[in-house]
C-alpha cells in the first residue's frame, strides 16, 4: 500500500482545500430555479420498497388527470399485477384494461378497428403520434411518462452528489416531479410571463407550458385518503417512479442477498489467503 | 500457526474447501440469469392467447393464423372430408394418439378426438410438420394435398389426412392440436 | 527468471496430448507456476480484476445483443424492452452499464499504479505501450456503446465527438459524413457503431493477450522496483497470487454490486432516458465520468483544431512516457521528489475530471487551462528534469532483502508494542 510521508500529505491537504473551494463555487452558481428539497420516499434507500396503496392511488391520479395528455408507452396493463407493482389482481387488471379503447388492426379488410384493451396491451396513448400531441398542446409535447422519473434530476451540488454515490439516493427525479407539481404559484410582480405559459418555481426558467394539473379533490380516492394537492402529487410521483423502475424491489432484495454472499466469500478468501501466505515470509 | 501444526490439518483444508464451494455456488447463480434471459420473455408469455374470428369461413375453406410465432391451421371441413377421416381404422395409423392438448394425453386418434366441435366440422391444428418443422402444404386451393387429401409437407414428403394425422412419410406424429375453444359461435380462442 | 518448463504430464493421455498440443503446458507455465515477485501489494491485483471486467462486458454484451435492436426508431424501445420484459434483462443491462464504469475505475487504478512504481521503464516499454493501446480501444468502445441506447446523451455525444473530425483541414467534412453515413448522426451511424462496438472488445482481448505475453517475457515489476535476481525473490503465481487476486476481486465486486443493485443509474446521465431528438440539444452535454478529464482538456483550448490536437496529445504523450522519464529508479518509494509530483499529478487529473463536468466559463475555464498546462508540464518538464536533479533513497539489493527488512521492522514494532 502507499504510505504518505508527512510532507507530501500536507501537499494533498492543500490541494483538497483548493478543490473544495471550487466545488462550493459551483454550488452557488446553480441558477435561479428554486432548489428542490429531498422528499421522504418509501422506495428510497437500501431497504426501499413501494407502498402498494400509494401506487394504486398514483395510478388513479395518472388515469383520471395526467393520461389525458401524457402517454405511458412502455408500460403494459399486465405490469399492474406483477410482483413489485401496485398489487392489483389479475382480474382487476383485466377490467382496468377493458375500460380503455385500443385501436388495433389492420383487420382482414385492411381497416383499423377499435377493441377493448387486454392485459398484454401497453397503456393507451392519448394521441396517435407526437405531432398530434404537439398540435393539441400549443406546440409543447407532453413527455411520455414511462421513464420520466429517471429522465429528470435535480442539481444536488457538492458534496451531495458525492454523498449520493455511497448512500444510494437515486430519487432526484421524483423529488423534482413532486416539487414541480407543487410549484405552481402567481409569478412575482416583475416577472414577464409569456402568453400560454404558467409560472412554476421549480421549472428551469420558471415558465412551463403545462397548466397546474392538480387541484384539491381532483380525484376521489377509493381508500378515503384526502386528495390534497401534496397527496396526489406524492402518489403520482411514486407511481411514475414505479413505472420507470418496475424491478426496483426485486433489484434491492436481490442486491441484499448478493451483498451477504460477497461478504462471506470475501471473508473466506481473506482467511484462505492468510493461510497460504503464512507459508512464506512476506 | 495452525497451518504448520500437524494436529490440525483438517481445519485448513476445510477453509479451502468452503471457499471453493462458495465460489462455485456464486458462479452457478450468476449463470442462471444468463441462461434464463433466452427463455420466452414477458411479452411473449402475455401474448400466448389469441382470438380468431371464423364467421366468414365457408365449408371447405381454411385459414392460417399466427400463434406463438407458429402457423395454426383452421379448417372448416366438408362432409366428404369428415367421412374420409372417420372411416380410417385407428390401429392402422402410424400414430394412434390424438395429440390433442384439450384431451387427456392417451386419447385415441379418432376423428372425434381431433376435431373441435361435435359435428367434426372444425379442425384446429398447429401447422408445423412433426418431422423437422416445415409448414405442410394444403391450406390454399392450389396446394398439393398429398395422397390422403389433407396436407403434404414439401420438405421430406410427409402425407397427412383430412384429420391432420400422419399417414405416410418420415414424420412420426400427428399434427399437434393446441388448446382451443369456441368462446361464441363466431370466435375461437387459441392458447 | 527461469524459462524452463516445470510441467510434468501426469497421465498417459496428458503426455500424448502434450506431444501434440502443449496447451496445458503453456497454461501451467504461464499461470500456475509463473514466477512472480513475492512482494506485490494489492495495487497489483487490478490486472486480474481488469481481465474479469473484460470477460463480464463481453458476456453481458453478447446477451444484450440478443435483445437489442440497432435501429434509430427502435433502439430506445428495445432497451426498455430489455429492462422490463426480458428475464433478468434489467440485471444484465445494469451489469453492462455499471460494468463500463467499473472497468474504467479499475483501469485508472492500474495505470496510476504503473505510474507510481515506474512500471513503464525498461524493459517494460512495449508492455506499457500495449496497455495504452488497450486503454485507447476501451475509450472508443465505451463511446460507441454509450451511443447504442439512443438517448439524448447518446445522440449528442456522438454528434459532438464525430464532429471533432471536421477539424481536419480540407477533407474534414468528407470524413465526418463518411463516419455518419449521412449528413448527421442517424440510423446509419447507429448501425455501424453497434457493429464496431461488438467487434472492438475482441480486439481488446487480442491486445490483452499481447500485453500478458509481454508481461511474461519481462516479468512483473514490483513495489520496490528492483528486478528479480534469484529464485527466492519469487513465488509461483498459484496459489499465492490466485488467492490474493481472488480476494481483491471479491472486494471489488462488493463495490460493483453496490452500484448494480442500489445505485445503477447514478454513474450515467438522466438525459439518456429521453429518446434521441435531433432537433433539441440538452442543456448540459457531458461525457461519462471516465472521459471528463479529456473533455476538460478539449474545451480548455480556445481553437477548435487546437483543442482536438491537444486532447489527442494528452493520450499520445503516454506512448512516449518511457522515454520522458529520465530516472533510472523505478519505484516512487525511493524517489522523494517524484512521489510528491506524482500526487500533484493525481490531484490534477481529478481536478480535470471535475472541470470537465462544469461549463467552461469564468473561473472554471481558467482552472481547466491551468490544469491542462500542468498535465503536459508533468510529462514534458517535471519527469525529464526530476530524473537529473533528484537524489534517490538507497535502493534495496534485492526483493527478498526488502521483504525481510520490512518484516524485521514490523516484528520490532510488535515487540516494542508488547513491551
Amino acid at each position: 500500500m502507499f504510505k504518505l510521508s508527512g510532507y507530501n500529505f500536507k501537499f494533498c491537504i492543500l490541494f483538497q482545500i483548493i478543490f473544495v473551494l471550487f466545488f462550493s463555487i459551483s454550488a452557488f452558481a446553480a441558477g435561479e430555479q428554486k432548489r428542490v428539497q429531498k422528499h421522504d420516499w418509501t422506495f428510497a434507500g437500501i431497504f426501499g420498497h413501494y407502498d402498494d396503496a400509494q401506487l394504486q392511488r398514483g395510478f388513479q391520479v395518472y388515469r383520471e388527470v395526467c393520461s389525458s395528455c401524457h402517454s405511458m408507452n412502455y408500460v403494459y396493463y399486465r405490469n399492474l399485477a406483477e410482483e413489485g407493482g401496485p398489487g392489483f389482481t389479475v382480474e382487476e387488471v383485466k377490467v382496468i384494461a377493458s375500460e380503455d379503447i385500443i385501436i388495433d388492426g389492420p383487420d382482414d379488410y385492411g381497416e383499423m378497428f377499435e377493441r377493448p384493451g387486454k392485459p398484454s396491451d401497453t397503456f393507451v396513448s392519448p394521441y396517435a403520434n407526437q405531432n398530434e400531441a404537439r398540435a393539441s398542446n400549443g406546440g409543447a409535447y407532453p413527455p411520455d411518462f414511462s421513464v420520466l422519473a429517471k429522465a429528470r434530476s435535480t442539481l444536488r451540488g457538492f458534496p451531495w452528489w458525492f454523498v449520493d454515490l455511497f448512500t444510494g439516493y437515486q430519487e432526484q427525479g421524483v423529488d423534482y416531479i413532486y416539487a414541480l407539481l407543487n410549484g405552481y404559484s402567481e409569478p412575482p410582480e416583475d416577472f414577464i410571463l409569456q402568453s400560454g405559459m404558467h409560472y412554476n418555481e421549480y421549472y428551469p426558467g420558471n415558465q412551463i407550458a403545462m397548466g397546474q394539473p392538480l387541484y384539491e379533490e381532483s380525484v376521489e380516492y377509493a381508500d378515503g385518503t384526502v386528495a390534497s394537492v401534496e397527496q396526489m402529487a406524492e402518489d403520482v410521483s411514486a407511481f411514475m417512479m414505479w413505472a420507470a423502475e418496475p424491478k426496483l424491489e426485486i433489484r434491492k432484495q436481490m442486491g441484499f442477498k448478493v451483498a451477504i454472499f460477497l461478504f462471506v466469500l470475501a471473508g473466506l478468501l481473506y482467511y484462505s489467503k492468510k493461510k497460504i501466505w503464512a507459508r512464506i515470509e512476506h | 500457526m495452525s497451518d504448520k501444526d500437524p494436529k490440525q490439518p483438517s481445519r485448513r483444508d476445510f477453509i479451502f474447501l468452503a471457499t471453493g464451494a462458495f465460489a462455485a455456488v456464486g458462479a452457478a447463480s450468476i449463470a442462471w440469469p444468463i441462461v434464463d434471459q433466452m427463455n420466452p420473455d414477458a411479452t411473449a408469455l402475455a401474448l400466448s392467447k389469441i382470438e380468431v374470428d371464423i364467421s366468414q369461413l365457408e365449408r371447405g375453406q381454411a385459414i392460417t393464423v399466427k400463434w406463438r410465432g407458429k402457423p395454426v391451421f383452421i379448417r372448416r371441413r366438408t362432409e366428404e372430408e369428415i367421412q374420409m377421416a372417420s372411416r380410417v381404422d385407428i390401429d392402422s395409423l402410424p400414430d394412434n394418439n390424438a395429440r390433442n392438448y384439450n384431451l387427456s394425453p392417451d386419447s385415441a386418434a379418432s376423428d372425434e378426438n381431433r376435431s373441435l366441435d361435435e359435428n367434426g366440422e372444425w379442425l384446429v391444428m398447429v401447422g408445423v410438420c412433426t418431422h423437422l418443422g416445415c409448414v405442410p402444404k394444403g391450406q390454399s386451393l392450389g396446394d398439393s394435398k398429398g395422397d390422403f387429401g389433407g396436407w403434404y409437407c414439401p420438405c421430406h414428403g410427409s402425407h397427412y389426412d383430412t384429420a391432420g394425422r400422419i399417414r405416410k412419410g418420415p414424420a412420426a406424429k400427428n399434427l399437434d392440436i393446441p388448446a382451443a375453444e369456441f368462446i361464441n359461435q363466431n370466435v375461437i380462442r387459441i392458447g | 527468471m527461469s524459462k524452463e518448463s516445470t510441467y510434468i504430464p501426469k497421465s498417459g493421455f496428458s503426455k500424448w496430448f502434450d506431444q501434440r498440443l502443449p496447451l496445458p503446458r503453456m497454461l501451467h507455465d504461464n499461470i500456475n507456476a509463473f514466477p512472480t515477485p513475492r512482494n506485490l501489494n494489492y495495487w497489483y491485483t487490478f490486472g486480474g480484476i481488469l481481465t474479469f471486467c473484460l470477460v463480464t462486458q463481453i458476456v453481458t454484451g453478447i446477451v444484450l445483443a440478443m435483445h437489442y435492436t440497432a435501429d434509430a426508431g427502435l433502439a430506445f424501445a428495445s432497451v426498455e424492452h430489455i429492462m422490463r420484459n426480458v428475464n433478468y434483462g434489467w440485471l444484465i443491462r445494469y451489469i453492462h452499464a455499471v460494468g463500463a464504469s467499473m472497468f474504467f475505475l479499475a483501469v485508472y487504478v492500474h495505470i496510476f499504479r504503473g505510474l507510481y512504481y515506474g512500471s513503464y521503464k525498461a524493459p517494460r516499454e512495449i508492455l506499457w505501450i500495449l496497455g495504452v493501446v488497450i486503454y485507447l480501444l476501451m475509450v472508443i468502445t465505451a463511446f460507441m456503446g454509450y451511443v447504442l441506447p439512443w438517448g439524448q446523451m447518446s445522440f449528442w455525444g456522438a454528434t459532438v465527438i464525430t464532429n471533432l473530425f471536421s477539424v481536419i483541414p480540407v477533407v474534414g467534412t468528407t470524413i465526418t459524413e463518411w463516419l455518419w453515413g449521412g449528413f448527421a448522426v442517424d440510423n446509419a451511424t447507429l448501425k455501424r457503431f453497434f457493429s464496431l462496438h461488438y467487434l472492438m472488445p475482441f480486439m481488446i482481448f487480442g491486445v490483452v493477450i499481447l500485453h500478458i505475453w509481454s508481461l511474461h517475457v519481462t516479468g512483473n515489476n514490483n513495489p520496490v522496483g528492483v528486478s528479480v535476481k534469484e529464485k527466492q525473490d519469487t513465488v509461483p503465481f498459484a496459489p499465492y497470487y490466485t488467492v490474493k487476486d481472488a480476494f481483491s476481486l471479491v472486494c471489488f465486486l462488493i463495490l460493483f454490486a453496490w452500484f448494480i443493485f442500489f445505485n445503477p443509474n447514478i454513474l450515467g446521465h438522466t438525459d439518456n432516458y429521453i429518446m434521441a431528438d435531433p432537433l433539441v440539444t440538452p442543456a448540459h452535454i457531458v461525457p461519462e465520468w471516465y472521459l471528463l478529464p479529456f473533455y476538460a482538456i478539449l474545451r480548455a483550448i480556445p481553437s477548435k483544431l487546437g483543442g482536438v490536437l491537444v486532447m489527442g496529445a494528452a493520450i499520445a504523450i503516454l506512448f512516449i512516457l518511457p522515454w520522458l522519464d529520465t530516472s533510472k529508479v523505478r519505484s516512487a518509494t525511493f524517489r522523494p521528489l517524484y512521489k510528491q509530483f506524482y500526487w500533484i499529478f493525481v490531484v490534477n487529473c481529478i481536478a480535470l475530471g471535475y472541470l470537465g463536468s462544469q461549463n467552461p466559463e469564468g473561473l472554471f475555464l481558467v482552472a481547466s487551462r491551468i490544469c491542462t498546462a500542468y498535465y503536459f508540464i508533468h510529462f514534458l518538464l517535471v519527469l525529464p528534469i526530476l530524473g537529473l536533479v533528484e537524489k534517490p533513497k538507497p535502493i534495496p539489493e534485492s526483493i527478498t532483502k526488502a521483504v525481510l527488512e520490512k518484516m524485521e521492522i514490523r516484528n520490532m514494532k510488535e515487540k516494542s508494542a508488547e513491551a
Side-chain angles (χ1 to χ4, degrees):
Chain A
M1 299 269 174
F2 298 135
K3 278 226 181 72
L4 291 169
S5 70
Y7 180 37
N8 109 60
F9 191 67
K10 272 181 220 146
F11 246 104
C12 290
I13 296 282
L14 187 75
F15 263 87
Q16 267 153 15
I17 292 168
I18 293 170
F19 281 96
V20 167
L21 279 178
F22 263 124
F23 287 130
S24 21
I25 296 168
S26 71
F28 282 111
E32 336 123 27
Q33 98 212 52
K34 204 168 154 188
R35 181 65 64 97
V36 170
Q37 295 301 311
K38 204 172 149 174
H39 190 73
D40 199 13
W41 301 105
T42 61
F43 44 83
I46 54 172
F47 297 106
H49 58 90
Y50 292 114
D51 173 354
D52 287 4
Q54 183 175 51
L55 293 190
Q56 294 200 2
R57 290 196 302 270
F59 172 62
Q60 191 185 347
V61 177
Y62 168 70
R63 206 156 195 233
E64 292 176 17
V65 183
C66 320
S67 70
S68 55
C69 297
H70 291 275
S71 59
M72 235 177 188
N73 289 336
Y74 301 125
V75 182
Y76 296 84
Y77 292 106
R78 62 178 163 79
N79 292 148
L80 294 168
E82 281 168 11
E83 197 194 336
F88 287 107
T89 64
V90 175
E91 289 311 311
E92 283 170 330
V93 168
K94 276 187 186 162
V95 174
I96 291 169
S98 65
E99 285 164 7
D100 285 337
I101 302 296
I102 306 281
I103 310 240
D104 202 349
D107 63 13
D108 296 346
Y109 307 99
E111 306 285 336
M112 300 305 278
F113 61 93
E114 290 185 344
R115 63 164 174 83
K118 291 186 288 190
S120 59
D121 290 316
T122 54
F123 279 15
V124 69
S125 174
Y127 303 106
N129 49 54
Q130 272 206 26
N131 292 3
E132 194 198 339
R134 233 178 258 284
S136 316
N137 288 282
Y141 168 64
D144 184 87
F145 271 8
S146 312
V147 284
L148 199 69
K150 287 198 285 187
R152 292 292 180 271
S153 192
T154 57
L155 241 173
R156 292 277 279 158
F158 186 81
W160 286 110
W161 62 261
F162 194 74
V163 174
D164 290 346
L165 271 182
F166 298 100
T167 54
Y169 192 72
Q170 279 208 306
E171 280 65 37
Q172 296 89 349
V174 264
D175 279 345
Y176 169 77
I177 292 167
Y178 175 69
L180 185 90
L181 290 172
N182 285 308
Y184 285 90
S185 65
E186 284 301 310
E189 297 270 317
D190 55 339
F191 191 86
I192 302 155
L193 198 63
Q194 288 183 330
S195 76
M197 300 300 268
H198 309 269
Y199 185 80
N200 191 305
E201 291 177 319
Y202 295 100
Y203 195 73
N206 301 122
Q207 302 202 43
I208 184 167
M210 172 173 75
Q212 180 172 349
L214 298 173
Y215 293 93
E216 301 294 315
E217 306 289 332
S218 282
V219 300
E220 195 182 320
Y221 280 137
D223 64 0
T225 309
V226 178
S228 63
V229 172
E230 291 83 26
Q231 181 69 44
M232 288 183 289
E234 187 185 44
D235 292 345
V236 80
S237 304
F239 176 72
M240 286 168 71
M241 186 67 203
W242 167 77
E245 198 65 18
K247 311 287 184 188
L248 179 140
E249 272 185 21
I250 300 169
R251 190 184 80 219
K252 289 184 177 180
Q253 281 161 11
M254 189 191 286
F256 230 79
K257 289 178 207 153
V258 170
I260 291 168
F261 172 83
L262 287 175
F263 275 111
V264 174
L265 183 59
L268 284 169
L269 276 166
Y270 179 73
Y271 211 59
S272 303
K273 188 242 155 195
K274 260 183 89 166
K275 290 277 173 196
I276 287 171
W277 279 81
R279 293 173 197 168
I280 58 157
E281 291 166 319
H282 70 283
Chain B
M1 292 294 286
S2 58
D3 188 30
K4 287 164 191 161
D5 186 347
K7 281 178 197 160
Q8 292 184 321
S10 60
R11 198 173 127 207
R12 186 196 66 189
D13 292 345
F14 171 74
I15 285 152
F16 295 154
L17 217 68
T19 312
F22 227 71
V25 168
S29 27
I30 189 64
W32 171 242
I34 297 198
V35 173
D36 191 37
Q37 53 87 19
M38 300 234 281
N39 278 322
D41 64 33
T43 43
L45 294 174
L47 281 177
S48 53
K49 276 186 176 34
I50 56 161
E51 284 166 17
V52 187
D53 182 355
I54 40 95
S55 57
Q56 305 293 323
L57 217 58
E58 303 284 341
R59 294 197 85 165
Q61 289 183 335
I63 54 168
T64 307
V65 294
K66 204 164 116 183
W67 174 70
R68 287 185 172 176
K70 291 184 287 197
V72 168
F73 294 165
I74 300 176
R75 185 169 199 89
R76 190 174 180 186
R77 297 187 293 177
T78 60
E79 204 53 49
E80 191 191 346
E81 285 169 333
I82 300 172
Q83 289 299 322
M84 270 172 73
S86 40
R87 273 204 304 268
V88 178
D89 173 19
I90 295 167
D91 294 329
S92 72
L93 291 169
D95 178 16
N96 44 31
N97 188 297
R99 306 284 167 202
N100 188 337
Y101 185 86
N102 305 293
L103 302 177
S104 67
D106 52 356
S107 306
S110 64
D111 191 55
E112 301 86 71
N113 282 348
R114 299 278 301 168
S115 56
L116 187 63
D117 60 330
E118 283 187 13
N119 299 336
E121 232 172 82
W122 295 93
L123 192 63
V124 178
M125 308 180 299
V126 175
V128 174
C129 179
T130 54
H131 179 222
L132 289 171
C134 296
V135 178
K137 294 283 167 198
Q139 287 290 90
S140 302
L141 289 174
D143 279 357
S144 156
K145 288 181 163 47
D147 294 353
F148 300 88
W151 290 266
Y152 168 72
C153 182
C155 290
H156 305 96
S158 290
H159 299 254
Y160 296 91
D161 66 13
T162 53
R165 293 170 299 199
I166 181 67
R167 299 295 287 275
K168 197 172 129 189
K173 288 196 272 179
N174 301 330
L175 291 175
D176 276 321
I177 293 178
E181 59 175 336
F182 277 98
I183 52 174
N184 59 48
Q185 63 181 56
N186 290 330
V187 179
I188 296 177
R189 178 196 284 150
I190 301 169
Chain C
M1 192 161 302
S2 129
K3 292 280 179 211
E4 285 112 60
S5 176
T6 56
Y7 178 71
I8 301 149
K10 284 199 185 92
S11 67
F13 172 75
S14 49
K15 203 168 169 190
W16 177 87
F17 194 85
D18 186 53
Q19 285 159 354
R20 283 151 184 86
L21 179 70
L23 182 69
R25 175 182 297 274
M26 192 194 86
L27 295 177
H28 172 85
D29 291 344
N30 279 296
I31 297 172
N32 287 1
F34 188 71
T36 314
R38 60 196 283 184
N39 61 338
L40 300 188
N41 57 30
Y42 278 107
W43 300 108
Y44 280 80
T45 59
F46 279 80
I49 288 172
L50 284 162
T51 314
F52 173 85
C53 287
L54 179 61
V55 172
T56 306
Q57 291 303 86
I58 289 178
V59 170
T60 52
I62 288 171
V63 165
L64 289 172
M66 294 179 187
H67 304 281
Y68 171 77
T69 310
D71 178 286
L74 303 169
F76 189 83
S78 76
V79 171
E80 277 311 308
H81 167 68
I82 291 169
M83 293 295 289
R84 288 158 191 277
N85 301 322
V86 175
N87 305 320
Y88 294 106
W90 61 271
L91 175 63
I92 293 159
R93 172 164 180 258
Y94 277 152
I95 293 176
H96 198 74
V98 172
S101 278
M102 290 296 127
F103 204 161
F104 275 95
L105 179 69
V107 89
Y108 284 132
V109 173
H110 194 64
I111 291 171
F112 277 96
R113 189 268 290 148
L115 290 174
Y116 189 84
Y117 292 119
S119 302
Y120 47 85
K121 292 184 193 183
R124 298 187 181 83
E125 300 94 325
I126 296 294
L127 177 61
W128 170 263
I129 287 170
L130 287 168
V132 180
V133 171
I134 292 170
Y135 173 68
L136 204 62
L137 289 173
M138 275 174 66
V139 168
I140 299 168
T141 311
F143 160 68
M144 288 178 170
Y146 196 53
V147 176
L148 303 185
W150 209 239
Q152 275 287 66
M153 276 294 157
S154 302
F155 182 89
W156 292 100
T159 302
V160 168
I161 300 300
T162 47
N163 261 310
L164 293 179
F165 291 91
S166 67
V167 301
I168 302 169
V170 189
V171 291
T173 316
T174 320
I175 287 180
T176 13
E177 283 173 4
W178 173 77
L179 282 172
W180 289 333
F183 303 103
V185 173
D186 208 339
N187 199 34
T189 327
L190 175 61
K191 279 180 145 41
R192 64 193 58 182
F193 276 22
F194 176 58
S195 169
L196 294 172
H197 182 71
Y198 204 123
L199 166 72
M200 295 197 58
F202 297 97
M203 293 167 67
I204 294 178
F205 199 87
V207 186
V208 166
I209 301 272
L210 297 181
H211 190 65
I212 295 174
W213 183 5
S214 167
L215 171 74
H216 284 204
V217 171
T218 62
N220 290 71
N221 184 27
N222 63 83
V224 292
V226 183
S227 299
V228 169
K229 291 189 180 109
E230 48 200 358
K231 197 163 181 297
Q232 56 170 339
D233 285 348
T234 65
V235 290
F237 191 82
Y240 292 96
Y241 285 107
T242 38
V243 72
K244 192 167 184 168
D245 279 6
F247 172 63
S248 183
L249 172 65
V250 171
C251 292
F252 182 79
L253 285 180
I254 291 173
L255 181 73
F256 201 151
W258 164 255
F259 282 111
I260 293 168
F261 293 105
F262 298 107
N263 226 348
N265 288 308
I266 201 150
L267 297 167
H269 198 290
T270 45
D271 277 349
N272 227 25
Y273 279 107
I274 304 170
M275 193 174 153
D277 183 351
L279 305 180
V280 183
T281 304
H284 301 279
I285 298 233
V286 281
E288 293 285 82
W289 67 269
Y290 41 79
L291 300 178
L292 286 173
F294 296 105
Y295 197 54
I297 292 175
L298 171 72
R299 298 188 305 179
I301 309 298
S303 101
K304 188 176 170 186
L305 178 61
V308 176
L309 288 177
V310 172
M311 185 177 73
I315 289 185
I317 203 162
L318 295 173
F319 283 102
I320 53 164
L321 170 63
W323 296 276
L324 291 173
D325 189 342
T326 50
S327 174
K328 292 278 175 281
V329 180
R330 290 199 190 101
S331 173
T333 317
F334 307 105
R335 299 183 62 191
L337 281 176
Y338 172 70
K339 203 192 256 182
Q340 284 161 23
F341 282 104
Y342 171 84
W343 286 110
I344 295 172
F345 180 70
V346 171
V347 174
N348 189 62
C349 289
I350 295 170
L352 276 172
Y354 173 70
L355 294 165
S357 72
Q358 300 298 317
N359 275 336
E361 292 161 352
L363 254 175
F364 291 127
L365 186 60
V366 178
S368 42
R369 285 184 181 158
I370 294 170
C371 291
T372 302
Y374 187 76
Y375 181 93
F376 288 97
I377 288 170
H378 177 82
F379 287 113
L380 295 174
L381 290 176
V382 174
L383 287 184
I385 294 172
L386 264 191
L388 304 176
V389 302
E390 186 180 46
K391 192 174 174 294
K393 287 189 203 164
I395 292 161
E397 274 171 52
S398 73
I399 292 172
T400 310
K401 278 237 168 86
V403 170
L404 295 179
E405 244 169 58
K406 219 176 87 186
M407 273 194 67
E408 240 165 64
I409 296 169
R410 203 193 313 153
N411 288 343
M412 262 159 60
K413 270 187 192 161
E414 272 170 24
K415 265 180 202 154
S416 63
E418 276 167 29

